[in-house]
Amino acid sequence: MLKKILLPPYLAALAFKDYVFRTQLMYVPLHAVRLFFAKRTVAHVGKNCTFLIGVEIRTGQNISVGNNCVFNKNVLLDGRGGKISIGNNVDIAQETNIWTLEHDVHDDYHTTRGAGVTIEDYVWVASRVTILPGVSIGRGAVVAAGSIVTKDVPPMAIVGGTPAKIIGTRRSGLKYTLNYRPWFR
C-alpha cells in the first residue's frame, strides 16, 4: 500500500516559492528582474552586482555578496551547509559550483556534513570550477578553469587542477572595479 507524504502547507508554499525562483525568475532575460529577486533571496547583495541567467541559489539567507560582483550563467551558490561569504569585485565564471554541503564518504549512513566558504576581494574563478565546503580563497587569487578546490587558496595565488594546486602568482595591483551587465544574458 502506498503511503502519501504530505508537507505542511507552509513548507509546501516555501518549496514552491523556491521552485519558481530557481526555474523561472532567474531565467528572465532582464538583469533588473533577476537582481530584484536575488536581493530578496540572498542575505546581503552589495551594490552593482550582476546575476546572469540561470544562477541557482540554495538557502540564500546563508549567502553574503559584496559590491561589484559578477555571477555568470549557471553558477550554483549552495548555502545549505554553511555560510558563503563573497567579497568585493569577485568574478565567478559560468558553470561554477560553490558547495557548503557534502556527504561523508566514511560514514556508514551516508550522512552529510557542512562548512562555510569564504571568497575574498578580487578573486577570479574561471569556468566550470568546483569549490568544496570549508574552503577559503584569499584576496586576488585566481582559480583556473575546470579546477576542483579542496583546500584553502592563499592570496594572489593562481591555482589549477584536480585537486587545485598553486601553479603561479598573480602580479596585479587589483585596481579594477567590475561592471559587467550584458543585455539579455
Side-chain angles (χ1 to χ4, degrees):
M1 182 167 177
L2 227 53
K3 185 178 178 181
K4 286 187 180 181
I5 299 174
L6 295 176
L7 288 175
Y10 72 94
L11 287 179
L14 287 174
F16 183 73
K17 177 185 161 206
D18 178 63
Y19 166 78
V20 170
F21 174 74
R22 283 183 298 101
T23 64
Q24 306 296 316
L25 299 175
M26 292 308 282
Y27 284 88
V28 172
L30 298 171
H31 171 262
V33 171
R34 291 190 308 272
L35 183 61
F36 175 84
F37 287 106
K39 283 185 171 184
R40 279 142 189 83
T41 302
V42 174
H44 174 77
V45 176
K47 297 176 186 173
N48 197 36
C49 289
T50 301
F51 293 83
L52 269 61
I53 287 177
V55 171
E56 183 174 342
I57 298 167
R58 297 180 184 177
T59 314
Q61 66 266 26
N62 286 338
I63 301 170
S64 176
V65 177
N67 299 322
N68 311 309
C69 293
V70 176
F71 300 91
N72 280 274
K73 69 179 187 171
N74 300 325
V75 166
L76 169 67
L77 303 171
D78 172 39
R80 295 174 302 157
K83 297 202 179 290
I84 297 176
S85 176
I86 298 173
N88 300 316
N89 293 295
V90 173
D91 184 357
I92 300 178
Q94 64 190 22
E95 300 174 10
T96 290
N97 295 314
I98 301 172
W99 297 101
T100 63
L101 191 63
E102 64 185 350
H103 290 279
D104 182 351
V105 298
H106 301 294
D107 184 85
D108 293 339
Y109 299 98
H110 199 57
T111 60
T112 57
R113 60 181 178 195
V117 171
T118 300
I119 300 175
E120 295 182 8
D121 298 345
Y122 294 101
V123 169
W124 172 18
V125 179
S127 298
R128 295 187 175 170
V129 166
T130 299
I131 300 171
L132 295 180
V135 168
S136 292
I137 301 178
R139 185 178 192 276
V142 176
V143 182
S147 299
I148 299 178
V149 184
T150 61
K151 296 181 180 165
D152 291 353
V153 177
M156 302 303 281
I158 302 171
V159 298
T162 304
K165 293 180 173 42
I166 296 175
I167 58 175
T169 302
R170 190 174 190 188
R171 296 180 307 274
S172 170
L174 304 175
K175 297 178 183 179
Y176 58 86
T177 299
L178 293 175
N179 187 14
Y180 180 67
R181 197 167 287 127
W183 285 84
F184 304 110
R185 292 173 78 192

